[in-house]
Amino acid sequence: MKPMAQMAMVMNLDKCIGCHTCSVTCKQAWTNRPGTEYVWFNNVETRPGQGYPRTYEDQDRWRGGWMLDRRGRLRLRGGGRFDKLLHIFSNPKLPSIDDYYEPWTYDYENLTNAPLGEHMPVAPPRSLISGEPMKIKWSANWDDDLGGSPEILSGDPVLRQVSEQVRLELEQTFMFYLPRICEHCLNPSCVASCPSGAMYKRSEDGIVLVDQDRCRGWRMCVSGCPYKKVYFNHKTGKAEKCTLCYPRIEVGLPTVCSETCVGRLRYLGLVLYDVDRVLEAASTPEDTDLYAAHRSILLDPDDPEVIAAARAEGISDEWIEAAQRSPIYALIQRYQVALPLHPEYRTVPMVWYIPPLSPVVDAVSRSGHDGEELGNLFGALEALRIPIEYLAGLFTAGDTAVVEGVLRRLAAMRSYMRDINLGRETQPDIPESVGMTEQDIYDMYRLLALAKYDERYVIPTAYATDTLPGAEEPGCSLSFEGGPGMFESGPFGEASGVPVPVAVETFHALQQRQTGEHMGANDTRPSRVNLLNWDGRGAPPGMFPQNGDRG
């Protein structure tokens, strides 16, 4: 057993209202630059729908992720080194701009400069690529709220796998929202696909990043990622992707998408996993067994053997404690209500989802019955046309029993908590019917409905209280001209003497250093100390004249 730490996320789809606030704030923070107009590190898809880029889940077409060969060995679906060498200058498995969308702006000058006429002037759309007038045909959320159904929904790769009755009665089914970011997988196919080694997975927290200096723009990572969450910046010629807002994570802050989420549906935390068993789990022969194999490599942070092994691997007690308080481990292992997105891609993703239950309650209530009575809910779960099959196609490689078990636990929680909220006697048989205790049900309710900020985001800081001698400021994987990390001193830079932008990350990083026992700029680098960045703790040699040295 070799424990390693991984930052992970769980999203409660029962709370997502499709407001796209997470997408907009992520766009403003990371991809509000030339060359990234079509890039959405975070996007919210309406399901059923084709997704973004359209039909990205059709791996027969895009050849992303992993597959097992005839000998049961894990192989890249897009081919090995020889195949990549043959297509290194012309990758045939890339989504085109039409599969994303041609970004546009509006000709607002036409509103003010149009000559006086009979009709009101308008601001026609113009392409941000060519500058020519264009007709808008597709965008990142084109199928929002099932727009264009059934014309658009016929292209949903997951919908093709469910029953014919579901496809014929789309107008009678319900929809839900699916926010997506990079999965920061334990077995990332994008990293394995990169010929230049620019894609890498950080050993300390598992965040997958792109080294902008090493990237050569071959875009094998784009085709290798089955979730299509790696993008190509056509201005810089580099690949870019979600960074899990690691400058914020390093100072104990949640990601921008989590911080600004209106529905408070995102949970962030640390999990420990056995790195020696990742390949074994990803190589599980049957797709429907991948979910159980995925859970089996997540280690119990309260197990004394795991704690001892984690300490032996250099994981600090602070991080072990964070893993013990992690909402991610609780939702995945203790309550068993979180599911991975498309485990059949065999990348072992670490962004998990709690499937939606609200439409089930609404459907029962519309029929005139009690929407939160346990018997009615359990009966509705078995009778509904799309949730079980469709959700299983998204989260369990088609295993409907696992999804049904999750929905039954969520339904049991609602029925049990209703008795408490109405001041009635609780019914112990409700949690027993789903294999849980009354305390488990109550704790799960607290976490899903009433969790406070520090309960939803349990993030250990990457900075020690004592600044290490000679430690330099961390760089940013997007530190290039025009990038959000283009500042010379990195995102923090307290001791560098270079002005840095005021940001919440800067404040938290400096706050920790200001309360430490030593100076941010210490005796080992006195040349970097001046009155503009001196933190007031101590006086490095030469900063002030000595007594009797008054020239």
Side-chain angles (χ1 to χ4, degrees), residues 211-474:
D211 186 336
Q212 294 291 307
D213 292 331
R214 301 185 66 177
C215 180
R216 297 294 175 263
W218 284 322
R219 289 172 276 187
M220 295 297 174
C221 54
V222 178
S223 55
C225 174
Y227 303 97
K228 292 297 174 282
K229 275 300 173 182
V230 184
Y231 299 90
F232 181 70
N233 185 322
H234 56 81
K235 182 175 178 61
T236 63
K238 307 287 186 177
E240 298 184 16
K241 62 176 294 298
C242 162
T243 66
L244 204 66
C245 292
Y246 76 88
R248 295 174 58 91
I249 294 291
E250 288 176 350
V251 294
L253 294 174
T255 61
V256 170
C257 59
S258 300
E259 184 83 77
T260 60
C261 176
V262 174
R264 299 182 179 180
L265 60 95
R266 297 177 188 240
Y267 299 80
L268 273 168
L270 199 71
V271 294
L272 302 178
Y273 69 97
D274 187 357
V275 68
D276 290 336
R277 296 183 55 206
V278 171
L279 178 61
E280 174 189 347
S283 303
T284 302
E286 296 296 329
D287 288 350
T288 51
D289 295 333
L290 285 167
Y291 164 69
H294 194 164
R295 288 183 55 226
S296 69
I297 65 176
L298 300 182
L299 302 175
D300 183 357
D302 294 309
D303 187 336
E305 293 185 7
V306 173
I307 295 175
R311 287 172 176 166
E313 293 297 327
I315 300 177
S316 68
D317 288 343
E318 179 190 0
W319 282 48
I320 295 174
E321 181 187 354
Q324 293 170 344
R325 297 186 294 112
S326 172
I328 308 303
Y329 182 83
L331 293 170
I332 295 175
Q333 295 288 65
R334 181 181 175 188
Y335 309 130
Q336 299 181 27
V337 293
L339 303 172
L341 180 63
H342 289 300
E344 68 273 17
Y345 297 161
R346 301 179 182 273
T347 59
V348 195
M350 288 311 294
V351 175
W352 295 56
Y353 294 87
I354 299 174
L357 184 64
S358 290
V360 180
V361 178
D362 295 340
V364 175
S365 300
R366 282 196 299 268
S367 64
H369 297 85
D370 187 346
E372 293 187 345
E373 198 278 322
L374 189 65
N376 292 339
L377 275 179
F378 280 1
L381 293 178
E382 298 172 358
L384 285 172
R385 294 180 295 276
I386 194 171
I388 302 294
E389 289 182 83
Y390 191 84
L391 294 175
L394 281 173
F395 303 122
T396 60
D399 188 352
T400 57
V402 173
V403 176
E404 183 177 356
V406 172
L407 295 178
R408 288 174 71 91
R409 280 187 284 275
L410 295 173
M413 179 190 71
R414 291 199 176 195
S415 293
Y416 179 83
M417 292 306 303
R418 187 182 64 161
D419 290 335
I420 294 180
N421 294 332
L422 294 179
R424 302 189 305 211
E425 289 292 328
T426 60
Q427 303 178 52
D429 59 304
I430 291 180
E432 290 175 2
S433 66
V434 292
M436 301 178 72
T437 66
E438 291 187 75
Q439 188 63 44
D440 285 340
I441 287 284
Y442 185 75
D443 291 344
M444 182 170 70
Y445 169 76
R446 288 278 310 176
L447 184 57
L448 294 180
L450 304 175
K452 297 180 180 179
Y453 189 92
D454 57 355
E455 294 172 326
R456 288 184 286 126
Y457 311 129
V458 181
I459 306 170
T461 177
Y463 291 98
T465 303
D466 297 341
T467 305
L468 295 176
E472 293 292 337
E473 312 298 340

